[in-house]
């Protein structure tokens, strides 16, 4: 059995590469004068402490093994944030069309939100990493969500740490209400999407014209 360092190394590479690729997509939209469906991209390799917690939760032995790699599908995690709900399906289709990864599973927590109120579109992909020992295929979880969904999930995630997953009833209800409010915000923004995008094009042209070259 190798070390945790050896085990995690291809995941680190996968996250770095995927972040560059999705950020590249955003730049390509910008360069072609089309509004990007991607607002920003983040990525992380799951910290060992979280791998430990999750393996315990799932009843998997905590060791760098093939079993852990296949059962824990989010050791490599990428998050793609979009301005509008409709952008999410655009991004999903762009990912499905790619030749450099294989989509192995999709979970639509937007149509079917979690009982907590969580909304996001998840794609599990198999991604080949080239190493000096040859090609290693790792799984990565790509979460695609709007800025409002991300705001809610970040807050709820930190609250989860505080309450260790067991929220007092009132907090739970308020978080569910907040999730609905975030979804309403997304709906409202979608209904004035063309107005917003026109304003953004106008604003970025204005910024470019006032920036010293
Ligand atoms: P972190 O710190 O983001 O890595 P299971 O975890 O077994 O219930 P599964 O299939 O492993 O289910 O994953 P699932 O439910 O698709 O969710 C995986 C990730 O989605 C989570 O990773 C979170 O990032 C996010 N997520 C899912 N549900 C919620 C939720 O109710 N609230 C928030 N804030 N995020 C959620 P981790 O490992 O939990 O956390």
């Amino acid at each position: 059995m190798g070390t945790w360092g050896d085990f995690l190394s291809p995941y680190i590479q996968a996250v770095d590469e995927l972040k560059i690729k999705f950020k590249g997509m955003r730049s390509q939209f910008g360069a072609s004068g089309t509004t990007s469906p991607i607002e920003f991209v983040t990525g992380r390799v799951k910290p060992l402490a979280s791998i430990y917690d999750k393996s315990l939760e799932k009843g998997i032995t905590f060791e760098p093994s093939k079993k852990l790699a296949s059962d824990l599908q989010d050791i490599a995690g990428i998050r793609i944030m979009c301005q509008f709900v409709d952008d999410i399906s655009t991004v999903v289709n762009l990912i499905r069309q790619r030749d450099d990864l294989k989509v192995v599973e999709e979970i639509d927590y937007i149509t079917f939100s979690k009982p907590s109120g969580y909304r996001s579109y998840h794609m599990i992909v198999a991604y080949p990493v080239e190493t000096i020992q040859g090609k290693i295929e790792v799984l990565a979880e790509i979460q695609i969500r709007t800025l409002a969904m991300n705001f809610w999930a970040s807050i709820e995630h930190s609250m989860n740490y505080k309450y260790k997953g067991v929220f007092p009833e009132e907090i739970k209800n308020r978080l569910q209400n907040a999730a609905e409010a975030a979804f309403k915000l997304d709906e409202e923004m979608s209904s004035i999407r063309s107005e917003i995008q026109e304003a953004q094009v106008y604003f970025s042209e204005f910024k470019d014209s006032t920036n010293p070259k």
Side-chain angles (χ1 to χ4, degrees), residues 102-154:
K102 200 166 66 232
V103 178
V104 293
E105 198 184 340
E106 296 188 25
I107 315 163
D108 181 0
Y109 291 128
I110 295 176
T111 315
F112 308 101
S113 62
K114 284 203 159 186
S116 59
Y118 178 76
R119 280 189 167 95
S120 201
Y121 197 92
H122 290 195
M123 297 177 98
I124 309 294
V125 301
Y127 181 75
V129 173
E130 293 290 344
T131 76
I132 51 172
Q133 281 88 29
K135 193 184 290 204
I136 301 179
E137 202 173 67
V138 296
L139 292 177
E141 182 182 77
I142 306 175
Q143 300 180 344
I144 309 145
R145 43 169 84 152
T146 63
L147 298 170
M149 291 171 196
N150 188 50
F151 173 52
W152 182 92
S154 311

Side-chain angles (χ1 to χ4, degrees), residues 13-158:
Q13 194 173 323
V15 168
D16 285 348
E17 288 183 13
L18 287 168
K19 265 195 325 195
I20 288 178
K21 289 179 175 184
F22 291 124
K23 285 180 184 181
M25 255 168 144
R26 178 183 155 78
S27 314
Q28 286 158 27
F29 276 104
S32 67
T34 326
T35 313
S36 172
I38 296 176
E39 184 64 8
F40 69 95
V41 179
T42 63
R44 63 97 185 98
V45 173
K46 210 175 183 64
L48 262 191
S50 307
I51 295 182
Y52 175 77
D53 289 346
K54 200 111 182 221
S55 55
L56 212 67
E57 209 179 282
K58 290 188 176 249
I60 314 158
T61 312
F62 177 62
E63 61 184 14
S65 62
K66 284 212 170 108
K67 166 112 183 93
L68 192 89
S70 68
D71 287 3
L72 249 71
Q73 301 179 317
D74 67 338
I75 295 175
I78 295 288
R79 235 168 237 165
I80 300 179
M81 268 53 71
C82 308
Q83 285 194 342
F84 300 101
V85 179
D86 285 351
D87 293 334
I88 295 175
S89 53
T90 308
V91 174
V92 168
N93 285 325
L94 285 168
I95 294 174
R96 285 183 189 142
Q97 285 161 22
R98 294 187 73 96
D99 286 333
D100 58 346
L101 52 81
K102 200 166 66 232
V103 178
V104 293
E105 198 184 340
E106 296 188 25
I107 315 163
D108 181 0
Y109 291 128
I110 295 176
T111 315
F112 308 101
S113 62
K114 284 203 159 186
S116 59
Y118 178 76
R119 280 189 167 95
S120 201
Y121 197 92
H122 290 195
M123 297 177 98
I124 309 294
V125 301
Y127 181 75
V129 173
E130 293 290 344
T131 76
I132 51 172
Q133 281 88 29
K135 193 184 290 204
I136 301 179
E137 202 173 67
V138 296
L139 292 177
E141 182 182 77
I142 306 175
Q143 300 180 344
I144 309 145
R145 43 169 84 152
T146 63
L147 298 170
M149 291 171 196
N150 188 50
F151 173 52
W152 182 92
S154 311
I155 303 272
E156 199 258 2
H157 194 260
S158 44

